[in-house]
Amino acid sequence: MLHLSILLWLPVVVGLLGLAAGRHARLVAVPGSLAILALSVAFLLDFDRDAGGLQRVTSDEWIGALGVDYSLATTGLNVWLLLLTTVGFAFAIVWSATQDRVQDDRPGAYYLLLGIGQTSVLGAFLAQDLLLFVGFFDLMLIPFFFLAIGWGDGERQQRVSAVLKMVVYTLVGSLLMLIAAVAAGVLATPQGGEISFALADIAERGVPEGSQGWIFACFAAAFLVKMPAFPIHGWVRDGYKSMSLPVLAVFSGVLSKVAAYGFIALALPLLPEGVVDLRLVVLVVAVISILYASVVAFTTTDIRLVLAYSSIAQLGFITIGALTLREDGAAGAILHSVNHGLVTLPAMLVVAILAARAGGSEDLRDMGGVAFRAPIFAALFIVVTYALLAMPGSANFAGEFYILRGAWEGVAPGFAIVASLGVVLASVYALRLFIRTTHNRVGPKVDSRELSPSELGLLAVPVLVIVALALQPDVVLRDTDRAAGAAAHAAAIADGRTGVRDEGASATTAAGGATAGGAAGAGTAAGAAGAGGIEIDPTTGLPIDPTTGMPVDPSSGMPVDPTTGAPTDDLPTDGAGR
Amino acid sequence: MSASILAPLAALAKLETPDIDWAGLSPLLALSVGAVAVLLLGLFRARAVREVLVPALSFAVFVASIGLAIWQWDERGSLVGGALALDPLAMIGTIAVGASGAAAALLSIRSLAAREASHGEFHSLLLVTGAGMVLFLSAQNLVSSFLGLELLSIPLYVLAATELRRRRSLESGMKYLIIGSVGSATLLYGYALIFGATGHLDYEAIATAIREDGLSDDALLLGGIAMALVGLAFKASVAPFHQWTPDVYEGAPTSVTAFMATATKVAVLIAIVRLFDVALPGASGTWGPAVAVLAAIAMIVGNVGALGQGSVKRLLAYSSIAQAGYLLVGVVVATQLGAEAMVFYLLAYVVMSFACFAAVVAVEEETGTDDQQAFDGLGRRRPVVAVSLTLGLLGLAGVPATVGFVGKLRLVEAAFDNGYGWLALFLVIGSMISFAYYLRLVARMWLGGGQDAAVAATTADAAGDGEADRDGDADAALVGGGARAERDPDVATDGGDAVVVGGGRGPSTAVLVPGATDVATAIPDEVVPEPSSRPHVPAILVAAASAIAVVGLGVYPDPLMDTVGAVADALPDLF
C-alpha cells in the first residue's frame, strides 16, 4: 500500500517516537530514517515514466473555506528530489547519531526537529496546491531555527543574532511569496467562481497577465533568498557558521533545492507571462551569483565558507537551467539539484573530518598534509572534489552541460559562455580546497590519521552514490525531462517561441498567434488575454489546439495523445535530442 | 392607605415593558448574578473559602456562560426591545469572553492581586467586566453599546490597580482610567453626532436612514463616525491611540493583563464590526480607507515598538497593538468574508495570547519578574511552559501549522478579495518584523550548545543555569541573573530598574493609597511578590491547553472555520 501521506508524515511520527524514547532516541531515529529512505525508493520505482503527469494522487479538502486542498502527488519533477531529501536526512540523522554532542543534549527533541524539517521539505515537493506548498516552504525554516539555536556551532550570544538574521532574511521572501500565492489564487478565480489554489486549476484559469509580473517577482524573491543568490545572500555566512555540520549538510544540500524546484514546478506553469517578462533579471542575478560566489570561494580561507559560496554558485547554474524555458535546461536543473545535494552531504562530512584533524580549526591556513597518513580519506575526498567541480564524467558535468546547452539556445549563446566561466572557477576553488587541506606541508596543528570506521562508513556511502550516478545520470533525466518540458512549455509559448519556429504547421499557428498578441488568435476565447487565451489540457498540462480539440506539443506543434502527453507520431520533440 | 400605594403600582403595570427573552439573556445574567454571588462568598472568613471556592465559583460562572451561549447558539433575533442582538456573532463573542475569563480566573489563583484586593472583590470585578463585554459586543443600539463599554471599562480600571502596593500597578490603573475616559468621552460624542445626523439609535434604523436619505456624505455623520472610530481605537489599542497600552499591560497584574488583552479585544472588535458593518455599511467608502490607514499604522507601530522591549509583558502589549491592526483588516474590507476572517483571527488571537500570558504567569511565579532574562534556559527548566510559550509566540508570528498562520491567510485572502492588496502587504511586512522579536525570545528559551564568549561568563552561567536545570529552583536562576547583571552593562540597567521598583514597593506607595493601611493589616507579609519554588500548576495547564489548541487548530482548522462561517448570518447586508 503506497500512500504519499505515509511518506510525508512518517518523519514526524518517527521523531515523536524518538522524543518518547528519550535518551535512546537514536535507536528509533536511525532505523526510522532508513525506512523512510526505503519508502521513497519504492515511490521512485513505482513511478511510471511513460505515463507522466501526476501519480499517486492524494487529494482532500484541507481548509474548505479558503479553498485550500491537501493534495499530494509524485511527478517527474519531484520523484528524484524526494529521494534526495530522504537520502539527505538519513545521512544527517545517521551522522548525528555518532556525535556525543547530540547524544548528551536532548536527543529526542533534536531528532523530532529533524523529522519536522524532513516532513516540511517532503511536503513542499509533494504539494499540488499552491498554499500547501507555501505553508510547507515557510514551515521548513522553523525546525532549522531551533536546531541552530539549540545545537549549533559558534559562540552562543553571537549565534542568536546570526540565526535570527538568517530566519528574518529568509522569511521576508517567504512571506512575500505567501501574499503572491494568495493573490495568484484570488486573481485567477473567475467572477463568481469557487476559489481554488490547486496548481492545475490556477494554470488552467490563468493569472491575469497584468498581475503576473509582480507575483513572479515575489516568488523569485522567496526562491532567490532561499538559494541564496548574490545580492541577497547576506545571511549565508552567519547562517552556515552557526549550524552544526550534520544539520548544515541537509540545509545546504536539500533545502535550497526546494527553491529551484519552485521555479520549475510553480513559477513556470503558473506565471508564464511573468517569467518571460522578468526572467532576464533573474538570469543576470544568477550569472552574477555564479561569478561572485566562485571568486569569494577561492579567496576565503574558511573551508565551511568555501562550500557555502560554492553552493551559491551551483544554485546559480540551477536557476539558469530552470529559466531557459527549455526541456533540456529544466531537466538539467533538476539533475544538477540532485547532484549538488549529493555532493554537499559528503563535503560537509569532509569539513568535519578535516576540522577533527586540525585541532578543531576550519581554517585553510591551519590545514595541510592530511593525506599523509590517510590515503583512503584522500581518495574519497578527491571523488567528492571532482564531483564538486563537475569533472567530465561526473553526473554534475552532465547537469551543467544540459543547463548550459539550454542557456545557449534558450537565452543567448553569449550568456551561456559567461556562465560557463563558473565551471572553470569551480575547478579553481574545489582543487584549491583539496590541495591546501590534504597535500602541501603538514599544517601546524594537523594530526594526520586515517578515517575511523564510522567516518569511513558515512563518507563511503554518499561517494558510492555519486559514482553510481556518474555512471548513469540518464536515470534521472529519463524520469524528469518529459515533466520538465511540460512545465516549461507554457512559458515557452508565452515567449512566442513555438510560433517562430514552426510557422508552417497549421496546428501551431493558432496557438502561436494566440500567444504572440493575445488578440490575433483566431480560435481564442473572447476577452481572454495572452496565455490565458489558450486552453490547457488539465491532465497533461499541454495547450489544446482550438481547431482539433486535441492537445498539442508546444515545441513541435504536433498533436499529442491527451492521456499521456506523448506525441502521437514518432517525430522527436525538439530539445530532447540526446 | 392601600389605594395610595397601589395607585403608582397600577400605573407601572400599565407601562409597556419590552418582552424579555430570558433564555437569550441567560449568559449575561449568569455573569451578573455570578458577580454578586462571588462577592458574597468572598465575605466568608475561612481562608479555604476565599482562596479556593471563590476562584472556583468565578471559573464555574465563566464556564456556565459559555455553556449557556452554546445552548442559545441556534437562536436568532434580538433581546430587550432590540437593544441586544441574539446571533452567532454575539454567541461567539460571549464564548470567547467566557473562555478568557475562565482562564484569567485560573491564572489569578495564588496571585498577589487577588490577595491584596481580596478575592471576592477581585473575581466579582472580573465577572462584571465580563458582563459588560457581553453587553458591549451584543449591543445593536448606540445607548446599550455605550452602556456596555462603561460597564466593561470601569471595573477594568480598578482591576489594573489591584496590586495595591506596587507603584506600577497603581500607575497603570490611573493611566488607564484617564486615557480610557478620554476614549469613552470621544466615543460618546461620536455616537451623539451619529444620532444627530440620522435621528436613530438603533443600528438597523441608522443603516436604513443612511441608505434612504443619502447621508453617506453628510458632514455631521462623518464627524460622528470619525469620533466613534477614535474612541473605539482607544479601547482596542490601535495605534496611534495606543500609548496607554504598554504601560498598563506591564503594570497590571498579569492575570488581569491577560484578560484585558484578550477579552477586551474580542468585545471591542466585535462591537466595531457590528457598528461599522451593520449600522454604517452605507458609508464604507468613506470610513474604509480611514480604518485601513489606522490598521497599517498599528501594524507598523506595534511591531517596531516591540523590537526593543525588555519586559515580556510590554513586548506582548506592543504585539497586541500590531495584532489589533491585523484584525482591523477584516473590518476594512466590509465583506462577509472579511468579518469571518476577523472573527476567526480574533479567536485564534485569544488562544495564542493565553498560551503566552499563562507562560508569563508561570515564569513570574518562579522568578518574580517578567524580564526577558527570566526566560533564559526555560526550555530546560520548565519544558512544558517553554514549549507552550514557543508555540504561542510562533502562532502570533504566523508560522505555518499554527492557527495564526491560517488566520492570517484568511485575512490576506479577504483583503485581496476586496481590492485591499496593499493592506495585505502591510500585514505581511508587519509579520516579518514581528519574527525578529518573537524569535529572539524563543531563542532565549532554547539556546544551547556551542561555546561561550568569556570563560568567566561560562563558569558563572553554568553554575546558575546548571542548578536551575536540575531542580528548577528559581532562586538559583535569580542568582544567575544577578551574576550576569554585574558582568554585562546591558543587563545592569535592567537590574537597576528592578531595584527602583523594589524601592517603590516601600512606604511611599502606602501614601498614595488611602485605604492601604487596612489591607496591610489583613495581609502583613505579602507586599513584595516572593519568588516561589512551587510551579504554578493552573497557569501551566492553561498554557499547555492553549498551546495544544494553537497547533491543533492550525493543522485542522475546519471545525473552527465552520463555526465562524455562521457569522455571516449576523451581517446580512454585506456581500
Side-chain angles (χ1 to χ4, degrees):
Chain A
M1 224 286 286
L2 279 175
H3 200 287
L4 280 175
S5 292
I6 300 175
L7 177 67
L8 176 60
W9 297 108
L10 195 54
V12 171
V13 173
V14 169
L16 287 172
L17 291 177
L19 189 67
R23 295 199 52 75
H24 305 292
R26 64 177 169 185
L27 299 182
V28 178
V30 171
S33 70
L34 297 175
I36 297 161
L37 171 57
L39 193 57
S40 77
V41 172
F43 274 106
L44 180 64
L45 296 177
D46 171 72
F47 184 75
D48 183 354
R49 80 166 58 107
D50 297 323
L54 304 183
Q55 300 187 10
R56 293 276 164 199
V57 178
T58 296
S59 190
D60 272 308
E61 200 173 66
W62 179 37
I63 313 177
L66 292 183
V68 184
D69 286 342
Y70 169 76
S71 64
L72 313 171
T74 55
T75 67
L77 295 176
N78 69 16
V79 272
W80 280 93
L81 293 171
L82 292 176
L83 183 63
L84 172 69
T85 310
T86 54
V87 168
F89 276 90
F91 179 78
I93 287 171
V94 174
W95 182 1
S96 304
T98 65
Q99 295 211 315
D100 290 343
R101 188 165 75 181
V102 173
Q103 197 49 34
D104 294 343
D105 189 10
R106 297 167 288 173
Y110 179 88
Y111 293 114
L112 175 60
L113 287 168
L114 274 178
I116 295 174
Q118 184 170 8
T119 288
S120 41
V121 176
L122 290 173
F125 283 135
L126 287 171
Q128 298 302 321
D129 183 285
L130 189 54
L131 284 186
L132 194 63
F133 172 86
V134 172
F136 280 122
F137 188 86
D138 289 358
L139 180 61
M140 201 152 76
L141 194 62
I142 300 302
F144 285 86
F145 165 76
F146 285 105
L147 285 168
I149 287 290
W151 294 267
D153 287 346
E155 194 268 308
R156 287 169 54 142
Q157 290 307 321
Q158 270 176 16
R159 191 164 81 230
V160 173
S161 49
V163 176
L164 279 177
K165 183 173 167 188
M166 175 184 91
V167 171
V168 172
Y169 238 107
T170 322
L171 278 170
V172 170
S174 306
L175 291 172
L176 283 177
M177 182 169 73
L178 173 74
I179 259 209
V182 173
V186 172
L187 296 176
T189 307
Q191 197 70 40
E194 190 78 11
I195 192 161
S196 164
F197 289 96
L199 297 182
D201 285 349
I202 297 178
E204 187 187 342
R205 291 166 169 181
V207 180
E209 198 182 336
S211 309
Q212 286 199 10
W214 74 264
I215 294 179
F216 174 71
C218 290
F219 273 90
F223 297 148
L224 290 176
V225 174
K226 192 93 191 172
M227 280 180 156
F230 162 60
I232 37 182
H233 67 292
W235 59 269
V236 169
R237 193 185 176 88
D238 291 339
Y240 271 58
K241 294 293 268 183
S242 56
M243 273 188 250
S244 68
L245 284 165
V247 173
L248 187 55
V250 269
F251 188 84
S252 171
V254 179
L255 264 70
S256 55
K257 306 308 177 294
V258 181
Y261 171 80
F263 268 122
I264 300 173
L266 302 179
L268 290 181
L270 301 189
L271 307 163
E273 307 282 339
V275 172
V276 170
D277 289 346
L278 293 176
R279 75 178 173 129
L280 214 55
V281 179
V282 180
L283 286 169
V284 168
V285 164
V287 170
I288 296 175
S289 296
I290 294 175
L291 300 179
Y292 167 83
S294 302
V295 171
V296 178
F298 72 67
T299 50
T300 180
T301 58
D302 187 314
I303 48 178
R304 201 185 278 214
L305 291 182
V306 173
L307 292 179
Y309 285 101
S310 107
S311 84
I312 297 181
Q314 299 297 321
L315 280 153
F317 276 109
I318 294 170
T319 313
I320 291 177
L323 293 179
T324 53
L325 313 188
R326 283 172 54 90
E327 183 180 294
D328 47 4
I334 298 282
L335 172 62
H336 203 52
S337 297
V338 175
N339 291 332
H340 178 248
L342 285 177
V343 173
T344 306
L345 303 177
M348 291 296 170
L349 182 59
V350 165
V351 173
I353 292 169
L354 288 172
R357 279 151 187 69
S361 165
E362 291 178 5
D363 195 310
L364 271 183
R365 286 165 297 191
D366 296 335
M367 307 260 176
V370 173
F372 187 50
R373 284 182 212 280
I376 299 177
F377 167 65
L380 294 173
F381 186 12
I382 194 74
V383 177
V384 175
T385 309
Y386 283 156
L388 189 62
L389 64 83
M391 184 89 156
S394 67
N396 300 54
F397 176 76
E400 286 187 358
F401 177 78
Y402 272 97
I403 288 169
L404 291 174
R405 200 188 108 175
W408 184 283
E409 301 208 6
V411 189
F415 194 83
I417 293 170
V418 176
S420 65
L421 286 178
V423 183
V424 182
L425 294 174
S427 54
V428 178
Y429 65 70
L431 288 174
R432 168 172 171 269
L433 178 65
F434 180 75
I435 294 167
R436 293 277 300 258
T437 52
T438 49
H439 294 296
N440 287 3
R441 264 183 307 132
V442 176
K445 292 189 227 160
V446 169
D447 164 32
S448 170
R449 59 177 189 277
E450 191 48 276
L451 298 170
S452 69
S454 65
E455 287 171 341
L456 177 64
L458 272 172
L459 189 55
V461 172
V463 168
L464 287 179
V465 176
I466 290 173
V467 172
L469 197 59
L471 296 175
Q472 208 38 277
D474 211 32
V475 289
V476 180
L477 289 169
R478 274 204 303 261
D479 285 337
T480 310
D481 53 24
R482 161 97 47 73
H489 98 272
I493 293 178
D495 202 21
R497 249 182 243 174
T498 40
V500 176
R501 211 181 294 156
D502 292 320
E503 251 164 347
S506 66
T508 338
T509 329
T515 26
T524 48
I534 302 173
E535 276 187 80
I536 307 281
D537 187 326
T539 52
T540 57
L542 295 174
I544 291 172
D545 181 354
T547 53
T548 62
M550 290 288 283
V552 243
D553 187 316
S555 50
S556 62
M558 299 307 293
V560 293
D561 184 340
T563 53
T564 64
T568 43
D569 56 10
D570 292 326
L571 275 178
T573 53
D574 190 80
R578 272 188 308 283
Chain B
M1 180 182 114
S2 60
S4 63
I5 292 175
L6 284 180
L9 280 182
L12 264 181
K14 275 187 212 147
L15 262 180
E16 210 178 302
T17 51
D19 206 22
I20 292 176
D21 175 3
W22 295 104
L25 210 54
S26 56
L28 184 58
L29 287 178
L31 291 170
S32 318
V33 173
V36 178
V38 165
L39 191 61
L40 293 177
L41 192 63
L43 295 177
F44 280 91
R45 291 190 67 85
R47 201 184 152 101
V49 173
R50 280 186 290 124
E51 292 194 355
V52 178
L53 273 189
V54 166
L57 181 61
S58 154
F59 176 78
V61 170
F62 276 119
V63 172
S65 73
I66 298 177
L68 292 169
I70 293 173
W71 173 50
Q72 290 294 312
W73 178 258
D74 290 326
E75 303 293 322
R76 300 283 183 277
S78 62
L79 300 169
V80 206
L84 302 179
L86 181 60
D87 57 19
L89 195 56
M91 290 309 135
I92 288 177
T94 307
I95 292 168
V97 168
S100 311
L106 287 180
L107 294 188
S108 67
I109 293 175
R110 274 165 59 186
S111 85
L112 185 68
R115 268 175 298 178
E116 289 212 344
S118 105
H119 295 80
E121 276 91 330
F122 181 87
H123 286 282
S124 175
L125 287 170
L126 213 55
L127 287 164
V128 173
T129 314
M133 287 165 176
V134 171
L135 189 59
F136 189 41
L137 61 84
S138 17
Q140 49 177 356
N141 176 304
L142 294 178
V143 173
S144 50
S145 164
F146 186 72
L147 208 61
L149 180 73
E150 288 300 281
L151 190 57
L152 86 84
S153 302
I154 293 172
L156 266 187
Y157 304 146
V158 183
L159 278 174
T162 38
E163 280 185 13
L164 300 171
R165 310 301 188 73
R166 214 153 54 82
R167 184 185 274 173
R168 288 281 178 96
S169 176
L170 295 173
E171 183 191 321
S172 93
M174 190 59 108
K175 217 172 242 178
Y176 196 22
L177 170 65
I178 294 171
I179 299 180
S181 309
V182 173
S184 298
T186 319
L187 180 70
L188 186 59
Y189 214 103
Y191 279 179
L193 291 181
I194 295 175
F195 173 68
T198 60
H200 291 283
L201 290 170
D202 191 66
Y203 284 4
E204 299 271 349
I206 292 173
T208 317
I210 292 175
R211 202 167 45 238
E212 288 176 359
D213 305 347
L215 287 176
S216 56
D217 296 329
D218 184 64
L220 200 58
L221 178 71
L222 294 183
I225 293 176
M227 295 190 78
L229 179 60
V230 169
L232 290 167
F234 265 115
K235 291 289 166 187
S237 61
V238 174
F241 309 103
H242 67 286
Q243 280 87 352
W244 59 274
T245 315
D247 293 343
V248 173
Y249 276 28
E250 187 194 10
T254 310
S255 51
V256 175
T257 307
F259 187 61
M260 227 168 7
T262 53
T264 314
K265 236 166 220 149
V266 170
V268 177
L269 274 147
I270 290 185
I272 289 179
V273 166
R274 239 187 237 291
L275 177 64
F276 284 91
D277 288 356
V278 176
L280 307 168
S284 70
T286 317
W287 57 256
V291 179
V293 169
L294 278 188
I297 294 175
M299 292 177 209
I300 299 300
V301 168
N303 282 318
V304 172
L307 283 174
Q309 300 303 328
S311 148
V312 174
K313 275 159 80 179
R314 277 185 92 83
L315 185 150
L316 290 172
Y318 274 105
S319 129
S320 89
I321 296 169
Q323 304 282 337
Y326 304 154
L327 286 163
L328 280 183
V329 173
V331 180
V332 169
V333 295
T335 56
Q336 285 187 349
L337 203 62
E340 286 171 26
M342 197 284 279
V343 173
F344 183 88
Y345 195 73
L346 199 53
L347 299 179
Y349 167 77
V350 168
V351 175
M352 298 183 296
S353 296
F354 262 102
C356 298
F357 279 112
V360 173
V361 169
V363 170
E364 259 187 337
E365 176 83 7
E366 291 181 23
T367 62
T369 169
D370 71 321
D371 200 88
Q372 289 216 13
Q373 257 97 36
F375 292 79
D376 279 345
L378 190 69
R380 292 160 195 273
R381 219 160 63 225
R382 288 261 172 259
V384 176
V385 176
V387 167
S388 307
L389 180 54
T390 302
L391 291 173
L393 291 172
L394 291 181
L396 287 172
V399 166
T402 64
V403 68
F405 176 75
V406 182
K408 276 188 186 159
L409 203 59
R410 202 154 186 201
L411 284 171
V412 168
E413 196 175 311
F416 268 107
D417 201 51
N418 207 24
Y420 275 100
W422 66 270
L423 197 57
L425 191 66
F426 267 92
L427 195 160
V428 166
I429 292 173
S431 303
M432 287 172 197
I433 303 171
S434 75
F435 270 97
Y437 59 85
Y438 290 130
L439 289 183
R440 194 175 300 150
L441 180 57
V442 171
R444 269 182 187 284
M445 293 187 272
W446 298 104
L447 187 61
Q451 318 116 23
D452 274 296
V455 184
T458 320
T459 48
D461 240 18
D465 285 355
E467 274 176 58
D469 294 348
R470 270 188 287 283
D471 53 17
D473 188 353
D475 287 78
L478 274 187
V479 172
R484 276 193 287 277
E486 287 166 24
R487 291 193 307 275
D488 189 336
D490 219 311
V491 186
T493 2
D494 289 322
D497 237 17
V499 173
V500 173
V501 176
R505 289 173 192 138
S508 63
T509 21
V511 181
L512 266 173
V513 193
T517 39
D518 301 349
V519 185
T521 48
I523 29 168
D525 307 331
E526 294 166 339
V527 178
V528 176
E530 283 292 323
S532 148
S533 56
R534 284 187 302 158
H536 194 304
V537 177
I540 296 176
L541 286 180
V542 170
S546 310
I548 291 170
V550 167
V551 175
L553 292 172
V555 175
Y556 187 58
D558 255 5
L560 191 57
M561 273 301 178
D562 293 345
T563 313
V564 166
V567 165
D569 293 358
L571 307 164
D573 293 342
L574 295 182
F575 290 109

